[in-house]
């Protein structure tokens, strides 16, 4: 079992910044990929960014150049720095990892006002 605990999120004006953090605990040996997904009301959950244990990153086209994902393998944490936020970034953001199964955090609300 893997537990993911998120922090950060909140309300910000368009153009502002927020930072999300996620800490993994439990059976975390051999976790390769960690990342962030988001789900807006009425929409499917979608990948925002993910990072491998070796630091290889993948971003959704909608956030490239604005969001940066980073990871501390020693601390088992993954962060998402979100800059130049837009109202369409408003969603519940979920930390994610995979180890035989998908694991999700509880979700944190990000609201960007116009």
């Amino acid at each position: 079992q893997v537990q993911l605990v998120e922090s950060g999120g909140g309300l910000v004006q368009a153009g502002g910044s927020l930072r999300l953090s996620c800490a993994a605990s439990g059976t975390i040996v051999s976790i390769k990929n960690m990342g962030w997904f988001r789900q807006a009301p009425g929409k499917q959950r979608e990948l925002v960014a993910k990072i491998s244990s070796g630091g290889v990153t993948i971003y959704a086209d909608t956030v490239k150049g604005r969001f940066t994902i980073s990871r501390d393998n020693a601390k088992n944490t993954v962060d998402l720095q979100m800059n130049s936020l837009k109202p369409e970034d408003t969603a519940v953001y979920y930390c994610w990892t995979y180890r035989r199964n998908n694991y999700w955090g509880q979700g944190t609300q990000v609201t960007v006002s116009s």
Side-chain angles (χ1 to χ4, degrees):
Q1 293 289 334
V2 177
Q3 293 79 45
L4 300 172
V5 178
E6 302 138 341
S7 59
L11 173 64
V12 66
Q13 289 188 333
S17 298
L18 284 174
R19 188 176 184 88
L20 305 181
S21 296
C22 174
S25 62
T27 309
I28 54 178
V29 174
S30 301
I31 285 180
K32 294 185 177 179
N33 294 311
M34 298 185 74
W36 293 89
F37 283 68
R38 68 185 180 187
Q39 188 167 17
K43 295 188 177 181
Q44 290 189 336
R45 192 172 297 188
E46 62 177 7
L47 173 69
V48 176
K50 62 180 180 179
I51 183 168
S52 72
S53 55
V56 177
T57 58
I58 294 176
Y59 293 94
D61 288 343
T62 53
V63 307
K64 281 181 182 177
R66 300 188 297 122
F67 291 11
T68 302
I69 190 169
S70 59
R71 180 172 176 172
D72 187 328
N73 290 327
K75 296 181 179 179
N76 299 307
T77 59
V78 60
D79 291 348
L80 185 69
Q81 178 66 42
M82 305 184 292
N83 299 328
S84 302
L85 282 160
K86 304 175 181 180
E88 50 264 42
D89 294 317
T90 295
V92 177
Y93 284 69
Y94 296 91
C95 182
W96 163 87
T97 192
Y98 180 88
R99 186 179 184 276
R100 299 178 183 176
N101 292 292
N102 286 309
Y103 291 93
W104 302 95
Q106 78 278 9
T108 185
Q109 178 70 46
V110 171
T111 302
V112 184
S113 63
S114 58

